[in-house]
Amino acid sequence: MKIVKRAGSALVMVFAVTTATFFLVRLMPGSPYATELYQLQQQGYSVVQAENQVRVLFGFAVQGPLWLQYLHYLGGLVHGNLGTSIMYPGESVLGLIGKAVPWTVLIVCVSLLICFAIGVGLGTLAAYLRGGWFDQIVTIGSSLLNGIPQYLTAILLFYFLATLGHLFPIGGAYSPAVHPGFNLGFVGSVFYHAMLPILSFVFSGFAGWALLMKSSTVSVLGEDFIFTAKAMAIRERDVVISYVSKNAMLPLFTSLLLSLGFMFGGSVYVEQVFNYPGLGQLFLNSTNSRDFPLMQGCFLLLTTAVITANFVADVLYTRLDPRIRQ
Amino acid sequence: MDPTPILQIERLAVEYHTGRTVVRAVDQIDLTLNRGEILGLVGESGCGKTTLGHALLRMIEKPHRIVGGRIWFDNLGEVLEMNKASLSRYRWEHIAYVFQSAQNALNPLLTVRQQARLVIQAHPGGKYRDPDQRMTELLRMVNLDPRRVLTAYPHELSGGMKQRVGVALALMLDPEVIVLDEPTTALDVVSQATILEILRDVHQRLNTTMMFITHDMAVVAELADRVAVMYAGRIVELGSVDAVFYTARHPYTQALMAAVPSLDGRPGGLRAIQGHPPDLRQLPPGCRFQDRCPLAVEACRVREPLPVPVGDGHEAACLRLDEPPLKEVNQ
Ligand SMILES: Nc1ncnc2c1ncn2[C@@H]1O[C@H](COP(=O)(O)OP(=O)(O)O)[C@@H](O)[C@H]1O
Ligand SMILES: [Mg+2]
């Protein structure tokens, strides 16, 4: 019941954001429709021809009142039609996004998992060894790393390892020499190309998890029930797993899903630096060239992703924490 | 029936090390628990009762330390010299603990059944192999419905129910000794009465030796066979409930008695005593009670009183034992 309610509110949110972007984008000065119309007329098209051309290009009515355009847009959405790109004439927005998404999902998810694993490991160890040299290194190191923005790490890695060192490729998702498909050459090339983007995420990302996990674990270690477990002589392995980690990781799971949104945001910079053909780069290009349909499509996908992550985090949390589960 | 000792403590001392300060929360304590008895351990908050209880299970964790003395457990020998394996068996198979904070003593992410399973798994040499069956039996003993409680998470239970689950968990491996650390303090009056009744019932059925820590004299009067009165890390008076309640010899015990509104069940308190216990970080030379004692003389500021027998199994640590009881002094 609660899940249905939450799902409902998530849908409403997606709808609200879609609507807001639609209107906001059109309130921005320099509408691409007007620009396009003007350019076509400059090229000698008649007004009617130009309008027809624009209609074809954009996939829905351009003229007419805003609410009609909005209805057309919604109608398109329902049928999975996000319009046609301006920047890449003839390409559907959905198709472009579909080609870009897997790359972004690849680097974002792999980085997140690596960050999470390293962070949880370091944070747990630091918490158990709190006060010692290991803890100090992890805590101070993490605080420093945590302050370094992603694009800086990306630029440094790119400059030293790709440009100067020639150790890594300077762009693309895989080498043009390999055949896309499930073969060793392709998979290897994909990972080779994804390596630096992933490293940039990991460098600036694991530290935050380490700090979070450390503070969470330290506070759990001070709980009375840990003391009880020791008095009961519960096996050390069970104490670590069922008592300490179970309680310490609970708050991290929510953050894990929420941080997905931030990662997609960070992906814009990282993909730009490494010229990586993911969603971030697509989004940036669409913004720079005022490719509204594409921009809107990217926006829609990003917001839906964030809202979905939120929703899943919510549901997951109620599954994991018996105190919230009813 | 002659008392047979099951647990003997000699000159036990425990120190808390925090930064550069050292607090000796338990000092020079001699105490014997007899098989099957209920010993009440009373004293103001901060006098070291919990520390003593923890020390009995050797639950003093670094950087804190048991700095001296010995703990001898019947058939097992020196507790302070046990290796890791023996210590793991000693804890909970021979001596269990009911914690003061029933609210937080249970893992919030485990059901009562999961908790019970981990206890049994941790003690493969223990008497019981089937955690569900054992826990069901014990939950009935503490007046809880096993069908409802076994699969419950701690947050689904009331404070009083949690405390009863705590008692059931402590009984899990049928230990010879249970330390109960203020098991009623955090509870409402009705739950307090329920717990006391259950403890009396458990004691009657199983004859488990209990050390009952409390600052509530009325509870001690109701439940215990003997009382040890603690003050600032020391035991200042020890004896049967009757002896200590009707012929208290230490001025501190006398003051405690005077502060109890009535001995027949109504909640009592220690609030009525003037002043504060001394700072354990910097104790004055001589008797620790000197600043609050109506009988203190010059000698009390110099010499430390040692426990001396004042009756049958009754002892007190005071230099002014020849003085008439405080009650008459006050009148
Ligand atoms: N973990 C600890 N670290 C430092 N000092 C402590 C700790 N636990 C207790 N103490 C100190 O030891 C003394 C005795 O505490 P405690 O045994 O809890 O007393 P009680 O149970 O009688 O209230 C107090 O002065 C307290 O400040
Ligand atoms: Mg206490």
Side-chain angles (χ1 to χ4, degrees):
Chain A
M1 204 53 234
K2 266 196 172 155
I3 288 186
V4 175
K5 236 165 109 183
R6 285 215 178 88
S9 77
L11 276 178
V12 169
M13 202 116 97
V14 172
F15 178 73
V17 174
T18 313
T19 307
T21 10
F22 178 88
F23 288 105
L24 276 178
V25 158
R26 275 156 189 79
L27 290 176
M28 276 169 37
S31 139
Y33 308 95
T35 318
E36 194 71 21
L37 263 179
Y38 177 75
Q39 277 174 1
L40 287 171
Q41 282 171 34
Q42 293 288 304
Q43 288 162 25
Y45 285 88
S46 74
V47 177
V48 179
Q49 277 174 325
E51 268 178 16
N52 275 336
Q53 188 75 15
V54 169
R55 203 191 309 274
V56 169
L57 261 179
F58 289 65
F60 49 85
V62 174
Q63 290 299 317
L66 211 52
W67 63 266
L68 203 61
Q69 292 182 30
Y70 175 62
L71 284 185
H72 273 279
Y73 179 66
L74 283 189
L77 272 189
V78 171
H79 295 101
N81 176 15
L82 298 179
T84 315
S85 164
I86 300 172
M87 181 167 71
Y88 308 96
E91 298 241 28
S92 77
V93 168
L94 202 62
L96 286 170
I97 288 179
K99 268 189 271 176
V101 160
W103 302 121
T104 301
V105 168
L106 173 77
I107 57 170
V108 163
C109 289
V110 170
S111 324
L112 192 58
L113 287 181
I114 295 176
C115 287
F116 189 73
I118 297 179
V120 164
L122 285 181
T124 306
L125 268 180
Y128 273 100
L129 305 172
R130 61 189 174 286
W133 60 267
F134 182 83
D135 171 30
Q136 304 213 326
I137 290 176
V138 169
T139 306
I140 295 171
S142 295
S143 306
L144 290 178
L145 275 181
N146 206 25
I148 299 177
Q150 242 155 27
Y151 62 84
L152 195 63
T153 336
I155 288 171
L156 289 177
L157 282 175
F158 184 76
Y159 182 69
F160 285 107
L161 296 182
T163 316
L164 279 189
H166 298 295
L167 294 172
F168 287 94
I170 52 162
Y174 54 90
S175 147
V178 299
H179 275 287
F182 199 75
N183 58 70
L184 206 63
F186 177 69
V187 174
S189 178
V190 163
F191 273 95
Y192 184 47
H193 283 72
M195 192 77 84
L196 286 190
I198 289 175
L199 269 184
S200 337
F201 275 119
V202 169
F203 261 121
S204 43
F206 79 89
W209 292 108
L211 292 175
L212 206 59
M213 186 61 187
K214 185 200 151 184
S215 74
S216 185
T217 307
V218 165
S219 80
V220 170
L221 284 174
E223 294 278 357
D224 290 338
F225 59 80
I226 301 296
F227 194 83
T228 318
K230 288 179 188 161
M232 289 173 170
I234 299 290
R235 290 181 302 194
E236 234 154 285
R237 207 193 52 171
D238 288 333
V239 175
V240 172
I241 296 172
S242 301
Y243 282 75
V244 182
S245 298
K246 202 169 174 172
N247 280 282
M249 281 179 63
L250 194 57
L252 266 72
F253 277 115
T254 336
S255 316
L256 186 68
L257 285 157
L258 297 186
S259 73
L260 259 181
F262 285 105
M263 299 276 284
F264 276 115
S267 205
V268 172
Y269 298 108
V270 173
E271 289 176 15
Q272 190 197 11
V273 171
F274 294 102
N275 194 17
Y276 196 78
L279 195 62
Q281 201 183 41
L282 193 67
F283 181 60
L284 203 69
N285 290 345
S286 71
T287 319
N288 288 342
S289 53
R290 300 248 159 159
D291 187 342
F292 277 5
L294 191 52
M295 228 164 106
Q296 211 158 271
C298 291
F299 247 138
L300 185 64
L301 189 75
L302 282 174
T303 43
T304 314
V306 171
I307 292 169
T308 310
N310 252 309
F311 169 68
V312 175
D314 247 19
V315 173
L316 194 69
Y317 203 75
T318 47
R319 293 279 139 181
L320 291 175
D321 192 339
R323 285 163 293 191
I324 299 171
R325 180 168 54 203
Q326 285 310 326
Chain B
M1 191 179 68
D2 253 4
T4 29
I6 183 156
L7 184 71
Q8 282 180 296
I9 309 164
E10 274 173 34
R11 291 185 308 284
L12 191 70
V14 182
E15 283 180 356
Y16 287 111
H17 294 252
T18 321
R20 249 179 241 108
T21 60
V22 177
V23 166
R24 189 172 276 222
V26 158
D27 194 22
Q28 296 285 334
I29 284 197
D30 291 311
L31 188 64
T32 298
L33 273 177
N34 295 316
R35 204 172 267 280
E37 77 170 340
I38 301 182
L39 176 84
L41 182 66
V42 295
E44 282 164 293
S45 177
C47 71
K49 306 182 297 292
T50 297
T51 306
L52 178 58
H54 287 176
L56 293 190
L57 279 87
R58 242 177 88 180
M59 284 296 295
I60 304 293
E61 302 186 296
K62 279 191 275 185
H64 316 306
R65 271 187 305 142
I66 296 177
V67 285
R70 43 191 292 244
I71 300 171
W72 174 92
F73 198 96
D74 190 27
N75 289 330
L76 298 175
E78 296 291 345
V79 172
L80 298 184
E81 277 155 31
M82 283 178 180
N83 61 22
K84 213 172 165 183
S86 318
L87 187 62
S88 291
R89 297 205 54 177
Y90 171 66
R91 288 179 183 162
W92 231 254
E93 283 178 45
H94 297 279
I95 184 165
Y97 205 103
V98 175
F99 291 89
Q100 176 170 1
S101 53
Q103 304 308 314
N104 312 318
L106 299 168
N107 186 339
L109 301 185
L110 295 183
T111 60
V112 172
R113 165 188 268 147
Q114 289 169 326
Q115 180 69 76
R117 285 184 181 161
L118 287 177
V119 172
I120 295 288
Q121 277 169 22
H123 297 273
K127 286 182 200 163
Y128 301 94
R129 298 290 4 115
D130 184 345
D132 288 9
Q133 194 193 331
R134 175 68 179 154
M135 200 58 187
T136 303
E137 183 188 330
L138 289 170
L139 288 175
R140 289 216 180 90
M141 198 185 291
V142 297
N143 257 330
L144 289 173
D145 177 7
R147 277 169 310 175
R148 162 152 152 49
V149 175
L150 212 48
T151 52
Y153 286 94
H155 76 278
E156 294 168 325
L157 306 170
S158 71
M161 289 166 93
K162 264 185 263 195
Q163 197 56 284
R164 278 184 271 169
V165 168
V167 172
L169 278 172
L171 292 169
M172 201 74 198
L173 305 171
D174 194 19
E176 288 106 310
V177 178
I178 296 187
V179 179
L180 299 120
D181 193 351
E182 312 217 22
T184 57
T185 303
L187 305 178
D188 60 271
V189 184
V190 178
S191 311
Q192 280 185 11
T194 314
I195 288 279
L196 291 182
E197 203 155 305
I198 285 167
L199 290 176
R200 205 177 290 124
D201 179 51
V202 164
H203 184 255
Q204 239 159 37
R205 287 201 212 190
L206 307 175
N207 203 34
T208 315
T209 310
M210 295 183 178
M211 181 159 111
F212 194 99
I213 298 175
T214 181
H215 59 249
D216 190 340
M217 283 300 209
V219 171
V220 173
E222 222 178 307
L223 204 66
D225 305 308
R226 290 197 304 147
V227 200
V229 180
M230 240 183 128
Y231 186 78
R234 296 271 179 109
I235 287 180
V236 294
E237 185 154 6
L238 175 71
S240 71
V241 167
D242 281 350
V244 172
F245 275 62
Y246 296 110
T247 57
R249 299 300 302 275
H250 195 284
Y252 178 61
T253 319
Q254 290 166 353
L256 285 186
M257 293 306 151
V260 181
S262 105
L263 288 185
D264 46 25
R266 273 186 282 134
L270 307 178
R271 281 155 241 114
I273 305 175
Q274 297 284 311
H276 300 282
D279 183 353
L280 291 175
R281 286 168 301 180
Q282 35 189 326
L283 287 167
C287 175
R288 298 174 183 208
F289 191 55
Q290 55 180 275
D291 287 340
R292 300 164 85 182
C293 184
L295 302 180
V297 293
E298 211 38 56
C300 300
R301 307 197 187 283
V302 184
R303 267 175 52 213
E304 272 195 74
L306 295 175
V308 292
V310 292
D312 187 18
H314 186 184
E315 56 185 53
C318 176
L319 299 177
R320 309 282 328 266
L321 288 172
D322 47 347
E323 288 302 307
L326 183 66
K327 272 180 200 153
E328 282 137 84
V329 172
N330 277 350
Q331 276 155 12

